[in-house]
Amino acid sequence: MAVARGRRTCLAIFSLLLAVTAGQGYLHKRFLVREEDEQTFTETISLKDRAPFTADNRLIPLSSPATLAISSDWPRVDGATAAYPVYASAVQALYKGLDEHTVFPYIAQSRTSAAYRALIANRADLIFVAQPSILQKQMAAENNLKLRLIPVAKEAFVFIVDKDNPVTNLSVEQLRAIYSGEIDNWRKVGGPWRKIIPWQRPEGSGSQTVMLDKVMKGIKMRPPLKTEVAGGMGGIARRVADYQHSPGSLGYSFRFYVSQMDRQERLRLLSVNGIAPTPENIRNGSYPFTVELYMVTVRQPSLNTQKLIDWFLSPQGQKLIADTGYVPIGPVE
């Protein structure tokens, strides 16, 4: 009797292990995608050709003599990757007495989440970023600080697909249904019979914050897709993947980044509700996900920091915004 009970127990445990293994296999198939490095769209690019004061860099010069010169007490600026060409161009035009080596204590590019941390930790005076996440607001409050957001440019939050995908437009409702897991095949939105691979960005990134706030609006997103890649000494590391160049993929980012900073011929921007993310549609606000690029402080700005903020809002600063590729929010020189 005891032997029979033992066998039944072992059989039950074995059956449970099989079920767990099957479940893991299903999750692996559904949520893990093997990444091909040569097909990856990533938001990590080299900015060496946009470093201030270096020879033949790609920064945008002012079209007229600078109306501001900062020769000491240079504000420490930081920000998102997509905003770097804007504030790096200003640093090169306005910061006097510095060169390509001595400028680096005063300019950084830490990406959105790290830039907010640097600002709160007093390692930066002014950052150029998308809107803060709930956690970033909480982080400031925990340090008895309040984020001061100053709009400096308009931008579009865009959705991207492979150029071979015949779908050119999605409605806001369709996007929410895809990213909540309700829709999982392109055929349901006018495309071919193909599984949708809806890539997400890491929590705390500017694009993920906008996605949650502007697009999902409280609707829970499906679990993020993950990928397995070799890391370190042949080990396997899991991370949230960027966008794959495959006909089934769907991703999101900011228009300036994907159309100018890291333009990929295989990517195409979608219209949303039938409206394309063109500069004119961003300017007039008809594109559904028109957002703002912010200058952010948390402490009383120094005299020169405030001068820099005011300059960016001046006609000359707004002209630099336009020349860089963003949509200005005020009069242009």
Side-chain angles (χ1 to χ4, degrees):
M1 183 70 70
V3 173
R5 282 199 301 271
R7 287 176 176 172
R8 286 196 296 272
T9 301
C10 290
L11 182 60
I13 293 173
F14 180 70
S15 299
L16 179 61
L17 289 174
L18 282 178
V20 170
T21 301
Q24 289 178 337
Y26 168 76
L27 290 174
H28 188 282
K29 182 178 180 180
R30 182 170 183 182
F31 296 125
L32 297 180
V33 178
R34 188 165 299 282
E35 182 179 35
E36 299 177 25
D37 291 341
E38 68 276 9
Q39 292 185 337
T40 298
F41 171 78
T42 175
E43 290 198 5
T44 301
I45 62 173
S46 173
L47 295 172
K48 290 182 179 179
D49 60 352
R50 291 181 172 91
F53 305 118
T54 56
D56 301 320
N57 65 38
R58 295 174 58 192
L59 295 178
I60 305 299
L62 299 184
S63 57
S64 61
T67 57
L68 173 66
I70 301 177
S71 301
S72 63
D73 189 24
W74 301 278
R76 299 167 298 168
V77 292
D78 199 345
T81 304
Y84 185 80
V86 172
Y87 63 86
S89 295
V91 164
Q92 179 168 272
L94 307 178
Y95 284 24
K96 307 303 180 183
L98 299 174
D99 59 28
E100 61 182 292
H101 305 294
T102 57
V103 71
F104 282 105
Y106 307 102
I107 185 169
Q109 187 279 302
S110 302
R111 305 177 76 170
T112 299
S113 56
Y116 272 107
R117 290 196 297 271
L119 182 68
I120 292 169
N122 200 22
R123 297 193 304 272
D125 302 307
L126 182 67
I127 62 174
F128 293 74
V129 287
Q131 67 185 73
S133 67
I134 293 175
L135 290 178
Q136 286 154 359
K137 292 178 182 177
Q138 291 175 346
M139 188 188 310
E142 289 168 359
N143 286 272
N144 298 314
L145 298 168
K146 184 176 181 179
L147 298 170
R148 177 191 175 206
L149 278 63
I150 306 125
V152 68
K154 287 186 177 182
E155 172 64 310
F157 183 68
V158 298
F159 289 84
I160 52 180
V161 295
D162 187 87
K163 67 179 181 64
D164 294 331
N165 190 326
V167 174
T168 60
N169 175 76
L170 290 172
S171 69
V172 173
E173 291 73 20
Q174 287 171 331
L175 288 166
R176 289 172 182 159
I178 290 170
Y179 275 97
S180 66
E182 181 182 344
I183 292 178
D184 61 3
N185 196 292
W186 284 105
R187 186 173 182 180
K188 297 180 181 179
V189 292
W193 184 270
R194 181 178 292 124
K195 180 180 176 64
I196 299 175
I197 305 175
W199 297 106
Q200 297 184 31
R201 293 290 299 140
E203 183 180 0
S205 66
S207 50
Q208 190 71 358
T209 298
V210 172
M211 180 66 181
L212 292 169
D213 184 61
K214 302 293 186 182
V215 182
M216 301 307 291
K217 289 187 175 296
I219 298 174
K220 186 176 181 180
M221 294 182 73
R222 52 163 288 171
L225 292 168
K226 296 179 180 179
T227 184
E228 292 183 352
V229 295
M233 299 287 291
I236 299 298
R238 291 182 179 180
R239 62 176 177 81
V240 175
D242 293 308
Y243 317 127
Q244 290 285 77
H245 290 320
S246 67
S249 291
L250 174 67
Y252 46 80
S253 187
F254 294 101
R255 180 194 63 94
F256 177 79
Y257 184 89
V258 295
S259 64
Q260 297 193 46
M261 283 195 73
D262 192 24
R263 184 178 178 84
Q264 302 284 327
E265 293 301 324
R266 289 185 59 89
L267 291 180
R268 179 159 45 79
L269 277 61
L270 293 177
S271 294
V272 178
N273 287 353
I275 302 174
T278 63
E280 180 58 30
N281 291 335
I282 297 169
R283 188 176 295 108
N284 62 33
S286 61
Y287 178 71
F289 301 129
T290 297
V291 296
E292 291 176 311
L293 174 68
Y294 292 100
M295 298 181 285
V296 185
T297 64
V298 289
R299 296 171 180 84
Q300 180 65 35
S302 68
L303 178 61
N304 281 346
T305 300
Q306 187 60 53
K307 286 181 178 180
L308 182 60
I309 293 171
D310 294 340
W311 180 86
F312 263 109
L313 300 177
S314 74
Q316 187 174 64
Q318 289 293 290
K319 179 65 162 56
L320 177 63
I321 291 288
D323 290 346
T324 304
Y326 279 89
V327 176
I329 61 169
V332 174
E333 182 185 66

